[in-house]
Amino acid sequence: MLKEIVKYPLGIKGAGTKEFADVKSPFSGEVVASIEQADEKAIDAALNLASETFHKVMKVMPANKRSEILAGTSALIKENLEDLAATIAMEGGKPIKDARLEVSRAANTFAIAAREALRLDGEQLAMDNLPGNEARIGMVLREPLGVVAAVTPFNFPLNLVAHKLAPAIAAGNTVVLKPSSNTPVSSFKLAELMRRAGLPEGALIVTPCRGSKGNALVKDRRIALLTFTGSQEVGWRLRGEVHPGVRVILELGGNAGIVVHSDADLTAAARAACRGGYAHAGQICISVQRVYVQSSVYEAFLAQFKECVSALNVGDPLNEGTDVGPLIDQGSVDKTSQWVDEAVKQGARLVAGGAKTGNNCLTPVILADTRPDMNVICQEVFGPVVSVMKYDTIDDALSQMNDSRYGLQAAVFTSNLDVAFKLARGIDAGGVIVNDTPTFRADHMPYGGRKESGLGLEGVRYALAEMTQPKFICLNLNPQVQ
């Protein structure tokens, strides 16, 4: 546990600003650390160093060395699990038991990347399918892009950062990272572990900054790829601000839904909706926000769901028994409460929760009788709010599920394989989980949204494809023959 205020300087030679900003616990208000802030000069210096390191070091570093660094980072993360978990709980408000799980996943993400770095290869392309090419051999190589600009959110300050860094380094790129201003300490600690694992200076540079200063990073022509996780409003705006030719990966969240069919295991469905709806106080881009239950089992499901939710413990994220911690700040509490109040005034029924308990905590909310035009349904709440609604037919469920601007992940509960596949194939989302919560994510699986939920894919192997580029080389073994 952090016992004193630690200062984290930028560590960019000749580019210190001497301007520090405090990072505070969203639960206690305690100052966790003080972080030096990057300005345009510091970002310029970071990009220069990252570009130079890419061309001189990372681009020519063999795969076995990149793999060794990533595997070493994975091992160091495991060795420092308790410290990293306490950091996540302190600066981000995530319950400590969930923070430990995030640390373990981050270690796994780097371990996967260590393996994938050794599998990054191209292919031989047959050239003799046309007459006259018999003496030619074609090959396709995968090459790194260059400098990756990574912008990450507060809700997974270690593992979402790992999903940017690990595949980027596995591919041979360098990274300039802008972590969330709410949770930058985890990034600094991870960068130190990567340095200890052998990552060269300049291969990863952490540049925390507030406000519009980060635009200098996003708009710079020296970056080859922008990978961003955050709100759809910011993400799509940044896509329009990058320099022509810069690749973009956007992971932008959603309002994940569950379909509970009449033949489903209602106990399992209720527990999954509870876990998926209120983990990290609903501040997960694939948090359960909408649950559609077939009419014949609606009341039975709602009763079980309410019972599960009422058993959740809300409070101090550092307490082992806490299930739901604080929202990240007071503004998030106020917005969530306002949307719940609006829904009730518009005819929704408050089944449970909604009390402000102090320390930026809000008791888990269950709503019923909500409509598609309410903010708690059509927008991303990013708070502990779940609405439970009825449907009659499978086609009705599909229509309601797809009536959304988002399409990141969804879930289906049924014991009928035909129903499962009809719903899974019909739901317009990047991933559909059958008989489990839509917040399920394994770090090697493809992960990305449709519609306004994003662009491109994460998941280490899939991110590697996004972070490399093909190069075709053709050898003429008989140059006398043209």
Side-chain angles (χ1 to χ4, degrees), residues 235-312:
W236 292 115
R237 174 176 59 78
L238 293 180
R239 185 195 183 201
E241 293 180 353
V242 298
H243 194 271
V246 173
R247 295 188 183 188
V248 177
I249 304 172
L250 301 176
E251 196 277 278
L252 305 178
N255 57 355
I258 297 179
V259 176
V260 181
H261 201 55
S262 58
D263 61 2
D265 182 332
L266 296 186
T267 300
R271 289 174 178 170
C274 181
R275 183 173 68 254
Y278 306 108
H280 201 7
Q283 298 170 120
I284 301 173
C285 51
I286 42 179
S287 286
V288 176
Q289 190 172 317
R290 303 174 294 149
V291 182
Y292 299 99
V293 186
Q294 199 159 29
S295 299
S296 60
V297 295
Y298 177 83
E299 294 299 338
F301 171 86
L302 187 59
Q304 291 201 41
F305 182 53
K306 184 178 179 181
E307 183 179 351
C308 290
V309 174
S310 65
L312 295 174

Side-chain angles (χ1 to χ4, degrees), residues 84-97:
L84 290 168
T87 300
I88 293 169
M90 285 286 288
E91 68 174 347
K94 180 172 289 186
I96 187 67
K97 58 187 178 183

Side-chain angles (χ1 to χ4, degrees), residues 22 28 43 49 56 58 78 86 90 132 156 158 161 170 182 197 205 229 281 325 363 377 395 471 481:
D22 288 341
S28 68
I43 292 171
L49 179 56
K56 292 184 178 179
M58 292 302 296
K78 292 178 182 178
M90 285 286 288
F156 284 85
L158 192 69
V161 172
N182 295 106
I205 307 170
T229 299
T363 57
I377 299 296
D395 288 340
K471 174 177 282 183
V481 178

Side-chain angles (χ1 to χ4, degrees), residues 163-179:
H163 272 282
K164 313 293 188 189
L165 304 187
I169 299 303
N173 298 302
T174 57
V175 184
V176 178
L177 168 67
K178 181 194 174 301

Side-chain angles (χ1 to χ4, degrees), residues 45-59:
L47 287 166
N48 277 335
L49 179 56
S51 181
E52 180 181 359
T53 304
F54 169 70
H55 289 288
K56 292 184 178 179
V57 182
M58 292 302 296
K59 188 177 182 180

